[in-house]
């Protein structure tokens, strides 16, 4: 198993998917963008098409327009996010922004879904479509 580590996220290559664990507050768009770039780079180097994001210990303090800006970056620059299926586990405090972000991503063709339960997220992620 390969591990990539930094202060804000930890990415590990599991048997069936990449697992991303995040902790801390996210109020700065630059930090969110850098973390997205690190995940994108891990996707490119691992060739995994399933991603499990564990954001249960992360609090997003960003306006909705920043979520839309992140989506635009995915569409224009971090294009390998289109090639993956991503289950995102969030906590109740970030449900509003998380659900909004997943909703706009789904409307633009990304295969992302929000969960509050780890087992449910993993079951959806590993389910054959």
């Amino acid at each position: 198993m390969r591990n990539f580590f930094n202060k804000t996220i930890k990415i590990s290559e599991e048997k069936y998917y990449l697992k991303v664990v995040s902790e801390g507050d996210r109020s700065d768009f630059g930090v969110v963008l850098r973390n997205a770039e690190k995940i994108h780079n891990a996707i490119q180097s691992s060739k995994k098409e399933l991603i499990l994001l564990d954001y249960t210990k992360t609090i997003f303090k960003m306006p909705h327009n920043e979520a839309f800006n992140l989506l635009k970056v995915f569409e224009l620059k971090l294009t390998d996010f289109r090639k993956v299926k991503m289950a995102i586990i969030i906590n109740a405090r970030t449900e509003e922004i998380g659900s909004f972000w997943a909703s706009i991503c789904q409307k633009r063709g990304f295969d992302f879904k929000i969960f509050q339960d780890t087992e449910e997220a993993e079951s959806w992620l590993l389910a054959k479509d």
Side-chain angles (χ1 to χ4, degrees):
M1 171 188 345
R2 292 188 332 209
N3 284 308
F4 310 85
F5 184 76
N6 93 358
K7 294 179 184 178
T8 57
I9 62 171
K10 183 176 97 173
I11 304 171
S12 59
E13 192 168 313
E14 305 296 327
K15 184 174 182 178
Y16 298 110
Y17 53 79
L18 284 178
K19 182 175 183 179
V20 179
V21 178
S22 171
E23 293 186 22
D25 289 349
R26 298 292 179 275
S27 56
D28 180 272
F29 183 73
V31 172
V32 173
L33 183 57
R34 283 189 296 280
N35 287 341
E37 289 170 342
K38 289 174 185 173
I39 295 167
H40 188 261
N41 291 340
I43 290 168
Q44 291 178 318
S45 66
S46 76
K47 304 301 183 196
K48 297 280 186 193
E49 295 182 356
L50 303 175
I51 314 296
L52 181 70
L53 296 175
D54 182 346
Y55 285 170
T56 55
K57 295 180 181 175
T58 303
I59 303 297
F60 289 92
K61 299 177 182 175
M62 298 172 53
H64 285 139
N65 68 316
E66 294 290 9
F68 187 76
N69 290 340
L70 183 60
L71 168 63
K72 296 301 291 176
V73 172
F74 281 20
E75 289 179 326
L76 299 173
K77 183 179 176 190
L78 305 178
T79 57
D80 282 350
F81 277 109
R82 277 208 187 276
K83 300 175 184 176
V84 299
K85 180 178 181 182
M86 190 158 39
I88 306 152
I89 310 160
I90 60 172
N91 61 60
R93 287 183 60 193
T94 57
E95 183 177 9
E96 181 189 349
I97 188 70
S99 295
F100 172 76
W101 184 77
S103 172
I104 61 174
C105 287
Q106 289 165 356
K107 289 177 184 173
R108 299 294 270 265
F110 292 88
D111 194 7
F112 301 170
K113 190 168 180 184
I114 295 289
F115 298 89
Q116 288 189 23
D117 178 79
T118 301
E119 291 175 13
E120 186 181 342
E122 190 173 52
S123 292
W124 175 83
L125 188 64
L126 297 175
K128 303 293 181 198
D129 295 326

